[in-house]
Amino acid sequence: VNQILLLLLVLTVCAILYNKVYQLPLALRNETVDLESPEEMEEEIPVVICAAAGRMGAAVAAINSIYSNTEASVLFYIIGLKTTIPHIRKWIENSKLKEINFKVVEFNPTVLKGKIRQDASRPELLQPLNFVRFYLPLLIQKHEKVIYFDDDVIVQGDIQELYNTKLAPGHAAAFSDDCDLPSTHEMVRSVGMQNTYMGFLDYRKQAIRDLGIRPSTCSFNPGVIVANMTEWKHQRITKQLEKWMQRNVEENLYSSSLGGGVATSPMLIVFHGKYSSINPMWHIRHLGWSPDARYSEQFLQEAKLLHWNGRYKPWDYPSVHTDLWEHWFIPDPSGKFKLTRPDS
């Protein structure tokens, strides 16, 4: 009997110790899991933008406008060539942008060897960084959803809103249709801007006609992209784009003498009928197509994003609506990049 009582006592003590040692930590572990649940964690917004030689001030202004107009956590991927990376890093680290979360990524232009047809009409469109958007999954690998911006944009809205753009199942990207906003139609007519496939592809070529795309089909602008990296990789979008780049080298299917140069055309082919739409106010375009044609100030104030696509950039002269762009510009601490103004 004594042995049985002793055994029961030992078992009781063990049970008490078990509860104290294991049950409390289990409760703590459960509480920790709840605190770190995905619903309550802040999602990071990856933004890709290029820093090209001679126009780094554009990238700085774009980054500043994004950072200043959101409370969201933004991770900037700043893409540059080996020769330009030290300059942009120094600019950021020695200005108010030193507070941003950013990574500088080197783009190796050798991936473009044999894929770009030399074109003298607009040589600036042949710069390597103009094709970074083709290689997003190779440069940005840990994110499911990514935003890409051309450097000649200013963001006036909260980028969280753009990031929340819904992509339809099976779509690797969302773009802005060139026919989407009646308010821009007058600008398009006044500056002779093309907004159909006929303005980008050479329909005299059999390879283009074989696509079965009507010349009057509305084009889209890839200066702002919301991309799904999983679908991009699954559909081998980069390989498809490279295929059309190589075919253009061989057959001259499009050129920079047409509306959108050499980077837009392959995207129009590959994404035809397979992309989602961005809210039109998140991509007000054509500000760089004329040194004279202007939008109304009220319309521009309502816009979420302004894009100076075209020859006339807001850091150069002549250009329009430069005050809206210059509000976000941060002078270069090294003094290498300077604004071109009438009195400079």
Side-chain angles (χ1 to χ4, degrees), residues 47 49 61-70 76 147 149-150 152-160 162 224 281-282 303-308 324-325 327-328:
V47 172
I49 194 162
I63 292 169
N64 187 28
S65 70
I66 297 165
Y67 176 69
S68 300
N69 284 304
T70 187
F76 292 96
I147 296 176
F149 287 133
D150 278 353
D152 51 355
V153 306
I154 288 298
V155 172
Q156 301 185 139
D158 187 341
I159 198 170
Q160 182 72 58
L162 179 63
V224 177
M281 296 305 288
W282 267 100
K304 305 287 188 178
L305 180 145
L306 305 177
H307 187 184
W308 279 263
L324 294 175
W325 180 88
H327 175 73
W328 303 107

Side-chain angles (χ1 to χ4, degrees), residues 165-344:
T165 299
K166 300 295 185 183
L167 273 67
H171 286 178
F175 305 99
S176 293
D177 286 314
D178 284 328
C179 310
D180 60 6
L181 200 61
S183 303
T184 66
H185 293 175
E186 181 59 37
M187 174 71 80
V188 169
R189 285 192 294 270
S190 67
V191 302
M193 175 67 181
Q194 297 290 337
N195 63 357
T196 66
Y197 272 62
M198 185 183 294
F200 296 84
L201 306 179
D202 188 347
Y203 275 84
R204 296 172 299 179
K205 302 298 173 66
Q206 187 62 44
I208 298 300
R209 295 198 298 272
D210 288 345
L211 291 170
I213 303 173
R214 289 184 294 111
S216 60
T217 300
C218 185
S219 54
F220 59 80
N221 187 297
V224 177
I225 307 172
V226 181
N228 181 310
M229 295 291 92
T230 299
E231 278 295 336
W232 193 293
K233 289 181 282 190
H234 175 70
Q235 298 180 31
R236 298 169 61 86
I237 296 294
T238 297
K239 288 295 183 184
Q240 293 188 58
L241 292 168
E242 288 184 326
K243 182 191 79 170
W244 283 103
M245 292 170 73
Q246 290 170 329
R247 288 198 66 174
N248 184 58
V249 170
E250 299 163 2
E251 304 174 47
N252 194 20
L253 304 176
Y254 50 84
S255 72
S256 61
S257 59
L258 296 172
V262 293
T264 297
S265 298
M267 299 197 83
L268 290 177
I269 295 172
V270 171
F271 284 100
H272 173 253
K274 296 184 293 185
Y275 66 91
S276 298
S277 295
I278 290 173
N279 181 331
M281 296 305 288
W282 267 100
H283 197 175
I284 301 304
R285 308 181 284 292
H286 317 315
L287 277 74
W289 274 85
S290 168
D292 304 307
R294 303 174 66 92
Y295 287 113
S296 74
E297 293 301 324
Q298 180 180 352
F299 177 66
L300 294 180
Q301 291 297 329
E302 295 172 353
K304 305 287 188 178
L305 180 145
L306 305 177
H307 187 184
W308 279 263
N309 57 313
R311 297 175 184 266
Y312 302 98
K313 304 302 185 185
W315 54 90
D316 282 333
Y317 180 83
S319 57
V320 296
H321 303 297
T322 54
D323 55 323
L324 294 175
W325 180 88
E326 201 166 332
H327 175 73
W328 303 107
F329 174 68
I330 300 173
D332 182 1
S334 72
K336 296 177 183 177
F337 183 93
K338 299 181 185 298
L339 301 181
T340 303
R341 295 293 181 258
D343 54 353
S344 62

